[in-house]
Amino acid sequence: MAAALCAVLLLTPGVQAAEQAEQMETLGTIAAREEVIYSILDGEGAVQSVYAVNILDVTEPGAISDSGDYTEVTNLTNLRDLTYHDGRMTTVADAGKFYYQGTMENRGLPWNFAIAYYLDGVKTPPSELPGVDGHLELRIETTRNDAADATFFAHYMLQITVTLDTE
């Protein structure tokens, strides 16, 4: 019994590799695509990084590809490898939602951000805030970035999330 179990465990990776190779030969079908752009800002509102999370609705399993201008791509759905070459991501996907992240060059956003902190009514640099007590007021001003495509500023939603240490 133990020998049979060992044999099954040893053959499983080979079976999985064969299944993946077979799926790579079969073209998958993407019915819909969504993209959400995320950005990380520093304490004063300057853009630190920009990345896209792409959501592909795969209706037929198999080899899929998607285009985007990224410096690197990361599979967010499973542990399968992604290939990225000449602006195209390629992988094998099962039917259902497939998520991957593409890190973008820092080209700016359609918005400019200015973040100001007031501790007990006094404007305070963010570097001086950790570990202090008092009433904190956070002001975030957004304006249109004239260097970016105006269509995004006029027609897309902006959501701002702030993570604070509650202690």
Side-chain angles (χ1 to χ4, degrees):
M1 183 66 131
L5 181 58
C6 286
V8 168
L9 291 174
L10 290 174
L11 291 176
T12 301
V15 171
Q16 289 174 344
E19 287 174 358
Q20 187 168 348
E22 182 179 312
Q23 284 182 324
M24 197 62 169
E25 293 176 11
T26 305
L27 289 180
T29 304
I30 299 172
R33 179 186 192 278
E34 295 177 54
E35 181 179 66
V36 180
I37 305 297
Y38 293 91
S39 182
I40 297 174
L41 308 177
D42 70 11
E44 295 177 337
V47 176
Q48 296 286 295
S49 62
V50 179
Y51 59 95
V53 172
N54 298 287
I55 305 122
L56 308 177
D57 184 10
V58 180
T59 54
E60 293 291 327
I64 61 167
S65 68
D66 189 46
S67 62
D69 188 12
Y70 307 120
T71 57
E72 68 177 317
V73 293
T74 305
N75 186 338
L76 302 176
T77 301
N78 53 42
L79 298 176
R80 287 187 181 144
D81 289 332
L82 303 181
T83 302
Y84 183 73
H85 184 68
D86 288 336
R88 291 212 66 78
M89 178 284 303
T90 306
T91 191
V92 171
D94 299 323
K97 299 284 187 187
F98 180 81
Y99 299 81
Y100 79 95
Q101 174 179 311
T103 303
M104 304 171 79
E105 290 281 341
N106 186 355
R107 296 186 200 130
L109 297 171
W111 302 272
N112 294 314
F113 304 93
I115 304 173
Y117 305 84
Y118 293 82
L119 184 63
D120 295 326
V122 178
K123 189 171 183 178
T124 307
S127 60
E128 295 179 17
L129 294 173
V132 299
D133 290 327
H135 175 79
L136 177 67
E137 180 182 342
L138 175 67
R139 296 181 190 174
I140 302 173
E141 179 183 354
T142 60
T143 58
R144 179 177 160 204
N145 179 356
D146 293 328
D149 185 343
T151 303
F152 292 102
F153 180 82
H155 299 288
Y156 284 72
M157 180 184 82
L158 169 65
Q159 177 180 329
I160 299 173
T161 303
V162 178
T163 304
L164 300 172
D165 182 351
T166 56
E167 293 181 24

